[in-house]
Amino acid sequence: RGKIKGERTTHTGTKGEWGMGIDIRGCTNVFIDKVTITDCWGDAIYIGASDNKEYCENVTIDKLFADNNRRQGISVISVKTLRILNTTIKNTLGTSPQAGIDIEPNFPTQRLEGIFIENYVSENNVYGISLWLTNMVESKNPIDIFVKNFTDNGSTVGVRISTSDAFSATNEVHGNILFDGVSLNNNKNNAIFSIGYPEKLPQIKFKNLLIKNPNTSNGNSDSVNSAISIIRQNDSTSTVKVGNIKIEDFSIINGVNKPKFGIFVHDSLNIGIDNVEFINPKRIDKGVTDYFYNNGRVIFEDKYKAIQFDLVNSATNYPLRYYNHWTNKSAVSPKTLTLSDDIKIGSTFTVTVEAPHLLTIIPSATVGIIPIGSGVGKTLSSNVVGSKIKLRKISSTQFVVEEVIGSWTAQA
């Protein structure tokens, strides 16, 4: 195994960040195998452009071990066909960004194509993986990133996704960004933190995601200390909708210190969070405040019933943006469930009567429930234990009944 040891411990200055272990710029056909890189003032490995070529091409990094480098483990700036395999990166601390792997082009002409990361272990970095894609917003080049079997242990944030506020909405960038098989453990703050990621970039998709023991710092910030946080910058001047993330088949399992929320989706400026999907969580433990906070436009599907809302009290407004299963199990008197207008078209939810008290579903005055209802603003109700009804919102003025069990009465 080759070894590169930087001069971090004997460096005489305090500024700068460019002491790289391996610096690859504008190169083709590079293979790095079984190398240990430690104590660099900058990055263990930097992959970017040269004066003569805008990107590297056909780069493979296999069985890298990087520890105690000051700025990054691996910086991915511009590349076509990159494979990072069987790699461990630890203790990247000293000067920002301090990521195990940071994917961050400098210009929109640069490339993020054919990037494949497999069997990557991150430990005690500030970010396990950081995607900073501000400079790709006006790119005409597609983005293609696939991360498979990624584990992070104890970093401040497992996956950070961000753009600055200085982006335009005029250009749509095509491509795919997929994380499949991700385990994020003991993160000091969020497991996943996304800030200002715009609708014009490719939707970021996570599949088979396990989050265990987030917020080990026991912090109390909604945005910083929830397990998953998707937000807009508070000082944003852009009118672009942000969000653009899909998370499917996932679990959030709390430790001793609970996160503030399991999932926190928030736009403090109410400009718009959209194209956010949470599909079939297997388990979501409740945070200090709640399972979920959402003031965006979110699709939430929950076939495993990871979250079920018990109508001890009548409910309306934002809870219907994410709870798919409603029951009056603990009710001791009649309860109502009001269908708020901001439920996203395409959303489905099921209401089940589990206590012998009247449960009434109330649409707004301009909304109908078909085919059971006889017009707009008409309620459905049941007090028969075992009765169940499944509704889907198909337009701004209609819900359709997809399944009905037992006895439900429509208002005349």
Side-chain angles (χ1 to χ4, degrees), residues 189-193 211 214 225-229 252 259-263:
N189 293 336
N190 315 105
I192 296 175
F193 179 69
I211 295 172
N225 301 110
S226 295
I228 298 172
S229 184
I252 300 173
K260 191 68 182 294
F261 291 89
I263 299 169

Side-chain angles (χ1 to χ4, degrees), residues 76-151:
V76 180
I77 308 301
S78 186
V79 67
K80 290 178 66 176
T81 310
L82 168 66
R83 293 171 293 274
I84 301 174
L85 310 172
N86 310 308
T87 284
T88 298
I89 301 175
K90 303 171 62 175
N91 303 315
T92 309
L93 301 165
T95 191
S96 293
Q98 305 167 101
I101 297 176
D102 179 40
I103 301 175
E104 183 179 351
N106 294 323
F107 304 102
T109 53
Q110 294 183 331
R111 308 295 184 97
L112 297 177
E113 299 175 29
I115 297 173
F116 179 60
I117 302 170
E118 184 177 29
N119 299 332
Y120 163 46
V121 176
S122 162
E123 184 176 332
N124 195 38
N125 302 297
V126 173
Y127 309 116
I129 293 179
S130 176
L131 298 176
W132 182 277
L133 301 180
T134 297
N135 292 318
M136 293 301 286
V137 170
E138 291 299 330
S139 178
K140 297 186 179 351
N141 300 319
I143 299 173
D144 179 24
I145 301 170
F146 181 20
V147 179
K148 183 178 181 181
N149 298 337
F150 161 48
T151 298

Side-chain angles (χ1 to χ4, degrees), residues 149-388:
N149 298 337
F150 161 48
T151 298
D152 182 87
N153 295 304
S155 294
T156 304
V157 175
V159 178
R160 183 179 192 262
I161 302 158
S162 56
T163 64
S164 73
D165 195 45
F167 56 75
S168 166
T170 60
N171 184 56
E172 184 170 355
V173 180
H174 298 282
N176 296 284
I177 303 174
L178 173 62
F179 292 74
D180 189 358
V182 177
S183 180
L184 306 176
N185 308 291
N186 303 306
N187 294 119
K188 297 175 183 68
N189 293 336
N190 315 105
I192 296 175
F193 179 69
S194 176
I195 181 167
Y197 185 74
E199 60 182 350
K200 294 296 183 179
L201 290 177
Q203 187 185 51
I204 298 175
K205 299 174 183 177
F206 290 83
K207 294 175 63 177
N208 303 310
L209 167 68
L210 173 62
I211 295 172
K212 292 183 70 174
N213 195 23
N215 192 33
T216 61
S217 67
N218 202 28
N220 195 42
S221 165
D222 292 343
S223 60
V224 174
N225 301 110
S226 295
I228 298 172
S229 184
I230 301 172
I231 65 171
R232 178 190 294 276
Q233 295 93 332
N234 289 333
D235 59 350
S236 175
T237 59
S238 172
T239 59
V240 175
K241 291 180 179 179
V242 301
N244 206 15
I245 292 174
K246 180 178 181 179
I247 301 177
E248 184 174 4
D249 290 326
F250 65 100
S251 298
I252 300 173
I253 300 172
N254 293 343
V256 175
N257 296 326
K258 296 180 180 180
K260 191 68 182 294
F261 291 89
I263 299 169
F264 182 74
V265 180
H266 184 57
D267 179 359
S268 62
L269 304 181
N270 294 312
I271 295 169
I273 289 181
D274 209 343
N275 200 27
V276 174
E277 301 174 69
F278 297 100
I279 308 298
N280 298 329
K282 296 175 181 177
R283 172 176 168 179
I284 300 180
D285 289 351
K286 189 175 182 180
V288 172
T289 302
D290 206 341
Y291 296 99
F292 201 130
Y293 177 85
N294 167 36
N295 79 339
R297 305 289 285 181
V298 172
I299 289 178
F300 193 99
E301 296 182 9
D302 186 14
K303 72 178 183 181
Y304 302 118
K305 297 186 179 180
I307 299 178
Q308 181 167 287
F309 193 96
D310 191 349
L311 281 161
V312 178
N313 299 304
S314 299
T316 188
N317 294 327
Y318 83 84
L320 263 172
R321 301 179 187 177
Y322 59 91
Y323 283 106
N324 283 174
H325 300 280
W326 296 77
T327 176
N328 68 339
K329 182 177 181 179
S330 300
V332 294
S333 61
K335 301 300 174 190
T336 61
L337 176 61
T338 300
L339 307 184
S340 54
D341 289 336
D342 58 1
I343 299 172
K344 190 173 179 69
I345 293 171
S347 297
T348 63
F349 58 94
T350 300
V351 182
T352 304
V353 179
E354 296 188 67
H357 304 287
L358 194 67
L359 176 53
T360 302
I361 302 171
I362 306 174
S364 65
T366 59
V367 174
I369 301 174
I370 59 173
I372 295 179
S374 59
V376 297
K378 303 297 185 178
T379 64
L380 299 176
S381 59
S382 177
N383 63 355
V384 178
V385 173
S387 294
K388 182 171 73 172

